[in-house]
Amino acid sequence: MAGVAGGGGGGGGNDFQWCFSQVKGAIDEDVAEADIISTVEFNYSGDLLATGDKGGRVVIFQREQENKSRPHSRGEYNVYSTFQSHEPEFDYLKSLEIEEKINKIRWLPQQNAAHFLLSTNDKTIKLWKISERDKRAEGYNLKDEDGRLRDPFRITSLRVPILKPMDLMVEASPRRIFANAHTYHINSISVNSDHETYLSADDLRINLWHLEITDRSFNIVDIKPANMEELTEVITAAEFHPHHCNVFVYSSSKGTIRLCDMRSSALCDRHSKFFEEPEDPSSRSFFSEIISSISDVKFSHSGRYMMTRDYLSVKVWDLNMENRPVETYQVHEYLRSKLCSLYENDCIFDKFECCWNGSDSAIMTGSYNNFFRMFDRNTRRDITLEASRESSKPRAILKPRKVCTGGKRKKDEISVDSLDFNKKILHTAWHPTENIIAVAATNNLYIFQDKIN
Amino acid sequence: MSEKLSADSRCEQTGDEKQDTQEKEAVVPERAEEAKLKAKYPNLGQKPGGSDFLMKRLQKGQKYFDSGDYNMAKAKMKNKQLPTTGPDNNLVTGDHIPTPQDLPPRKSSLVTSKLAGPENHDSVNAACGMQDHN
């Protein structure tokens, strides 16, 4: 992986600082449910940044080319395209309301001038093509410039239409709709490294699709028990290996990860590898299983490691070692003594995501109070930052935040009981090669960059 | 509107228990939290985590409406009001007769996302001295 900016940073070192770059979205106090951002994803080059929201809409931002006359707008992201991806539906047969919320967006690697992405709600995956149009044909024979049909009998001569430049128009069109393959709610989609297939995972099943074929998909994992009373765990996330097109992993609500190899059998109910950290039985409590549930799993860019996020921590696993993670990072350990309240207000079920930087040297994940955390795997330093309008002056350096866990609260620290649990950062994304991060704070999208020297 | 965690004072304990819990709390905060929860909800399921959560998760989005029940109730209660939903209008089962009004209308937000709107730059505000945030 390009070691461009990844080398120095991402972590909490003194040699590295994050600055505010941009914030998108309204400043309203009253946030409409539809405006809540539900997914954020950079494309392979990092030039495009897509967001999905609870209202089923997708907004794509494009990075501006660096401009010598406006050096301060270095790589700003501006709106490129926006469209309604999914709409609310009602399944009358099952009496089931289907939300339009976009659960995940995944980009396809770019193969021509157009851009393609997959977006999914609970039941249906769609392949969208985003293309630019900057030319328009003029001088048609059968219709005039405003589109009205000409009377063919009045046409006395033929002309060849000419292509004329026009203002750039970005169009999004749905090219494939992959429907009716999931009884339960889709939580993940993942594009394969073969660029031809992708997987979609719901609570109990994982399906394999070909991007060109919408009327068939192969079921590759099925953990539904014959008797639903015996249900003990569900699938929480799934992802294809970045290089080996036959390998994928899926995580469970019991804190385990299974790695499967599609070469070994058509139905991958039997895993090839099983990753689980042994639990200390003496510390088991009512909450143990709930907080061990993995909310996100991501392979490193190198393909050698994978990272999982559970309620209180992020763990890095070496694919060669199944019996325990190689690294564990505490995100907000101070919440362990608040689990009772967090259970009562349902926050204990919040699903946080996590991400790697381009060089896999750092990882990032969100927390409450609009805090997000970064860990540098090499220096073992960590930092807590906040996405807030107060620290949103252009190029303002973000000040590290600290949560006070007891005893005397120092100035600038915030006590655990003052944290705002409605301000959750569930979705974050890191540019594939540079130190640019996108952080979704409810209805606002923050973009931060490393300090310009 | 921010949601604050409840202060510990909500859960009252006797002197002995409190000391016990405090010791436990020093060692295993989770167990102390579990004790708090069980004190508030003594009927909480025996199995930790377990199928209850999973079944609830799998049934997300399920709505219930029986036109037969609805019409029977309407006929019986010609002169009275049909019962309206309580605070939890997502779980429409059992004694409550669902009405078409209970099922939230299929909304569609065919309005452009505010993310695609003009960016709110704070640079002007900053120059003038930002409003006070405590």
Side-chain angles (χ1 to χ4, degrees):
Chain A
M1 195 65 213
V4 175
N14 294 325
D15 49 351
F16 188 90
Q17 288 176 313
W18 289 97
C19 304
F20 170 83
S21 175
Q22 297 170 274
V23 60
K24 310 278 185 189
I27 316 183
D28 310 330
E29 278 301 309
D30 241 341
V31 179
E33 177 119 356
D35 290 327
I36 297 174
I37 300 169
S38 50
T39 185
V40 185
E41 187 83 354
F42 280 100
N43 73 338
Y44 283 77
S45 65
D47 282 341
L48 296 178
L49 175 61
T51 61
D53 66 21
K54 278 195 166 184
R57 300 162 300 188
V58 171
V59 181
I60 301 175
F61 302 93
Q62 184 186 46
R63 196 174 184 199
E64 295 301 330
Q65 295 303 317
E66 305 226 6
N67 192 335
K68 289 214 175 62
S69 62
R70 289 177 60 219
H72 289 156
S73 71
R74 168 193 178 234
E76 263 186 7
Y77 284 85
N78 294 317
V79 180
Y80 179 64
S81 172
T82 178
F83 54 93
Q84 186 81 33
S85 172
H86 288 71
E87 289 183 31
E89 290 175 62
F90 196 87
D91 182 337
Y92 293 99
L93 203 60
K94 296 182 192 167
S95 204
L96 190 71
E97 187 178 68
I98 301 168
E99 279 184 348
E100 67 276 37
K101 164 168 148 305
I102 309 293
N103 293 334
K104 286 279 160 28
I105 288 174
R106 289 288 182 263
W107 290 92
L108 266 57
Q110 192 174 9
Q111 288 174 328
N112 53 37
H115 298 279
F116 289 86
L117 60 79
L118 287 171
S119 72
T120 187
N121 70 348
D122 282 339
K123 297 286 182 182
T124 305
I125 307 127
K126 296 188 184 181
L127 175 70
W128 287 88
K129 176 180 180 183
I130 297 108
S131 48
E132 294 184 5
R133 191 200 289 252
D134 60 358
K135 288 187 261 295
R136 179 182 54 211
E138 273 178 18
Y140 284 99
N141 290 292
L142 295 176
K143 57 180 182 181
D144 42 17
E145 294 318 313
D146 34 7
R148 270 183 311 204
L149 292 174
R150 292 168 82 196
D151 183 355
F153 294 106
R154 296 259 168 84
I155 299 170
T156 52
S157 62
L158 287 178
R159 54 190 179 174
V160 178
I162 318 169
L163 288 176
K164 289 237 173 100
M166 61 179 253
D167 287 338
L168 180 66
M169 200 166 75
V170 182
E171 301 172 317
S173 60
R175 304 302 285 177
R176 306 269 186 277
I177 300 191
F178 304 91
N180 301 321
H182 287 278
T183 305
Y184 302 98
H185 300 102
I186 298 173
N187 53 57
S188 312
I189 46 175
S190 177
V191 182
N192 205 349
S193 53
D194 64 8
H195 303 166
E196 287 187 346
T197 58
Y198 75 94
L199 63 76
S200 58
D202 66 31
D203 292 315
L204 298 178
R205 300 192 178 102
I206 302 179
N207 294 329
L208 179 72
W209 302 83
H210 191 286
L211 286 163
E212 299 290 327
I213 299 169
T214 58
D215 62 357
R216 262 171 296 155
S217 79
F218 285 106
N219 174 244
I220 51 177
V221 172
D222 188 336
I223 65 167
K224 185 177 179 189
N227 180 1
M228 282 300 269
E229 305 272 306
E230 290 165 7
L231 181 70
T232 54
E233 65 182 327
V234 295
I235 297 168
T236 52
E239 196 180 48
F240 265 121
H241 190 279
H243 312 308
H244 303 304
C245 57
N246 52 301
V247 173
F248 65 93
V249 292
Y250 68 93
S251 58
S252 87
S253 53
K254 277 186 156 178
T256 64
I257 309 100
R258 289 170 177 81
L259 183 143
C260 301
D261 186 337
M262 295 195 292
R263 291 173 307 188
S264 58
S265 69
L267 190 58
C268 298
D269 282 356
R270 270 205 310 258
H271 52 262
S272 297
K273 294 198 185 192
F274 182 72
F275 297 83
E276 184 177 34
E277 181 164 29
E279 190 198 13
D280 176 9
S282 66
S283 65
R284 187 158 181 82
S285 76
F286 175 84
F287 304 109
S288 301
E289 191 173 308
I290 305 173
I291 62 172
S292 72
S293 177
I294 292 172
S295 48
D296 195 15
V297 64
K298 292 263 170 53
F299 277 105
S300 64
H301 293 90
S302 64
R304 167 124 189 243
Y305 300 96
M306 67 178 175
M307 161 166 62
T308 57
R309 174 70 155 98
D310 52 72
Y311 190 61
L312 298 178
S313 67
V314 180
K315 296 178 180 171
V316 176
W317 303 77
D318 183 326
L319 294 187
N320 297 317
M321 188 161 75
E322 297 167 59
N323 60 356
R324 61 179 169 82
V326 288
E327 294 153 35
T328 300
Y329 300 94
Q330 300 303 334
V331 181
H332 37 217
E333 181 68 11
Y334 47 78
L335 295 184
R336 200 179 286 272
S337 53
K338 300 291 175 192
L339 292 177
C340 179
S341 312
L342 293 167
Y343 176 86
E344 290 179 292
N345 62 23
D346 272 355
C347 283
I348 205 174
F349 300 105
D350 284 336
K351 295 178 178 52
F352 291 94
E353 292 173 7
C354 52
C355 61
W356 299 86
N357 71 343
S359 61
D360 298 335
S361 64
I363 59 185
M364 167 168 65
T365 189
S367 179
Y368 294 105
N369 209 69
N370 277 354
F371 287 172
F372 57 100
R373 303 263 286 139
M374 284 187 201
F375 304 93
D376 185 316
R377 297 177 63 214
N378 301 322
T379 64
R380 292 306 174 118
R381 283 197 282 224
D382 64 270
I383 191 169
T384 305
L385 298 172
E386 183 179 1
S388 81
R389 291 269 173 182
E390 285 161 38
S391 15
S392 54
K393 290 189 289 188
R395 295 180 306 286
I397 295 175
L398 295 183
K399 202 174 66 169
R401 310 288 288 156
K402 196 146 166 63
V403 176
C404 159
T405 53
K408 245 171 117 54
R409 183 177 76 88
K410 298 200 193 90
K411 177 175 175 285
D412 285 350
E413 283 185 357
I414 182 166
S415 79
V416 183
D417 293 316
S418 305
L419 295 174
D420 188 340
F421 288 81
N422 281 335
K423 292 190 179 164
K424 322 169 199 254
I425 295 193
L426 305 173
H427 313 286
T428 60
W430 206 312
H431 188 286
T433 52
E434 295 185 38
N435 282 330
I436 302 172
I437 55 177
V439 174
T442 315
N443 62 328
N444 287 154
L445 182 73
Y446 286 82
I447 299 173
F448 303 107
Q449 297 189 10
D450 62 346
K451 189 163 181 254
I452 307 161
N453 292 317
Chain B
M1 186 174 72
S2 65
E3 186 181 334
K4 308 271 197 269
L5 276 181
S6 55
D8 284 353
S9 58
R10 261 222 262 165
C11 194
E12 296 303 329
Q13 290 171 305
T14 63
D16 283 356
E17 279 179 344
K18 201 165 185 180
Q19 191 178 29
D20 226 21
T21 312
Q22 273 172 353
E23 281 168 7
K24 267 196 234 154
E25 193 157 332
V27 179
V28 186
E30 257 179 70
R31 285 281 176 79
E33 291 296 298
E34 183 175 4
K36 257 194 250 174
L37 194 68
K38 292 236 158 102
K40 282 192 199 180
Y41 309 103
N43 295 326
L44 203 53
Q46 296 314 305
K47 26 186 179 64
S51 318
D52 290 341
F53 304 124
L54 300 184
M55 291 311 284
K56 197 167 144 188
R57 180 183 171 140
L58 296 180
Q59 278 172 6
K60 178 189 119 181
Q62 201 75 49
K63 302 287 172 200
Y64 299 95
F65 176 74
D66 187 305
S67 59
D69 280 346
Y70 173 66
N71 286 308
M72 292 280 285
K74 241 180 35 172
K76 270 192 211 148
M77 302 169 88
K78 248 190 301 197
N79 300 325
K80 301 186 219 156
Q81 288 269 25
L82 272 173
T84 50
T85 47
D88 196 0
N89 64 349
N90 282 326
L91 295 174
V92 180
T93 56
D95 294 329
H96 175 72
I97 307 292
T99 65
Q101 293 91 292
D102 295 345
L103 304 176
R106 282 166 50 215
K107 59 228 174 345
S108 81
S109 46
L110 296 173
V111 173
T112 309
S113 164
K114 289 183 188 160
L115 286 185
E119 209 163 309
N120 297 298
H121 283 292
D122 277 1
S123 48
V124 174
N125 291 335
C128 308
M130 272 290 271
Q131 55 269 43
D132 197 289
H133 289 270
N134 40 328

